[in-house]
Amino acid sequence: KVIFINDNTGFLSGGSGGGTAYLYKSTDSGLNWFVVSSPAATMWDGISVRSNDTIFVIDSEPLTGGVYKTINGGVNWVRQLQLGNLNPTKIYFYNSNTGYISKTTGSPYIRKTTNGGTNWNLITSGDGFLDMAFTDSMTGWKANVDVKKTTDGGLNWISQSLPSVNGMSIWGMIKIALVNKDTIWGVGNTINFPGYGSRAFLYKTTNGGVNWWYQIADTSFGFF
């Protein structure tokens, strides 16, 4: 994952795939990157950057994984949560105090913190998120193939209907980009058109998800 907090400063997380996690930082708009010290982990599955100093990273590996936090730019790290085989695969923070983690396979869940990760409370069982965005502390959307909206800070989620194409249902969404409380974009699906092949979709709503429309991108590429 890549996150920029301003024009110059950005972070990226990931790993080698063979058991070495990496966390990098750029201070010149991505021209150069240097390694930020981070705990030993298999791979950083997700990152949430609240400031130049406050960073959250997650690793889903059962032994070394969990939720880690630094408040001094990576000089020191604290593991805030360790759930073994239930370690999270996704993380999202609305602000420095309120955040969410999720596991989407096996035993899916969503956990929430309101104190910067000191405590993580289970708010949803049997469902998770691949991506999430909030406009305020109460109103947000999550994508997990389906798309759902909450108006009570994630305690309850209401499904939103995605469009169909020529009678064929579009199966889902995996990434969302929130412009404001009304305008949201989503990606993550294709549909096969005879003679045209597999085409990727862009979803869009301009009324907060009451109605969703789609655009077919001018490409034959399979997935965004």
Side-chain angles (χ1 to χ4, degrees):
K1 191 169 185 179
V2 180
I3 296 176
F4 272 77
I5 59 175
N6 55 45
D7 288 343
N8 296 314
T9 305
F11 297 82
L12 63 85
S13 66
S16 67
T20 303
Y22 292 108
L23 180 62
Y24 287 92
K25 180 179 180 181
S26 174
T27 57
D28 56 8
S29 301
L31 294 177
N32 296 282
W33 295 87
F34 60 88
V35 176
V36 177
S37 176
S38 63
T42 301
M43 179 180 293
W44 296 127
D45 294 293
I47 179 175
S48 180
V49 182
R50 303 314 311 163
S51 70
N52 195 52
D53 296 317
T54 303
I55 308 165
F56 297 85
V57 290
I58 58 171
D59 176 17
S60 60
E61 201 278 329
L63 296 179
T64 61
V67 180
Y68 292 83
K69 179 183 180 180
T70 179
I71 58 173
N72 53 19
V75 176
N76 304 105
W77 292 86
V78 174
R79 182 155 68 171
Q80 296 185 307
L81 185 70
Q82 210 283 341
L83 297 174
N85 290 327
L86 295 178
N87 278 335
T89 56
K90 298 294 178 181
I91 185 169
Y92 168 80
F93 267 79
Y94 168 68
N95 56 33
S96 295
N97 291 317
T98 303
Y100 302 81
I101 56 173
S102 173
K103 178 177 171 60
T104 55
T105 60
S107 300
Y109 65 78
I110 299 175
R111 290 177 179 265
K112 179 180 180 179
T113 180
T114 56
N115 54 14
T118 301
N119 302 105
W120 292 92
N121 299 312
L122 182 67
I123 60 171
T124 301
S125 296
D127 193 13
F129 65 84
L130 296 171
D131 201 11
M132 178 181 284
F134 275 69
T135 54
D136 56 52
S137 61
M138 293 288 105
T139 306
W141 292 259
K142 73 179 187 71
N144 187 29
V145 179
D146 58 357
V147 57
K148 295 181 179 180
K149 180 180 180 178
T150 182
T151 56
D152 58 8
L155 298 180
N156 296 281
W157 294 91
I158 300 172
S159 295
Q160 297 188 315
S161 297
L162 295 176
S164 61
V165 182
N166 296 331
M168 295 178 287
S169 296
I170 304 175
W171 66 269
M173 187 185 303
I174 62 174
K175 288 288 184 180
I176 53 178
L178 194 151
V179 179
N180 53 47
K181 66 181 180 65
D182 296 315
T183 303
I184 308 166
W185 292 84
V187 295
N189 190 26
T190 62
I191 195 167
N192 187 67
F193 286 90
Y196 293 94
S198 184
R199 306 299 293 273
F201 277 97
L202 297 171
Y203 301 95
K204 184 181 181 181
T205 178
T206 56
N207 56 15
V210 176
N211 304 104
W212 286 90
W213 295 269
Y214 67 91
Q215 297 178 357
I216 301 174
D218 187 19
T219 176
S220 60
F221 184 66
F223 279 85
F224 287 130

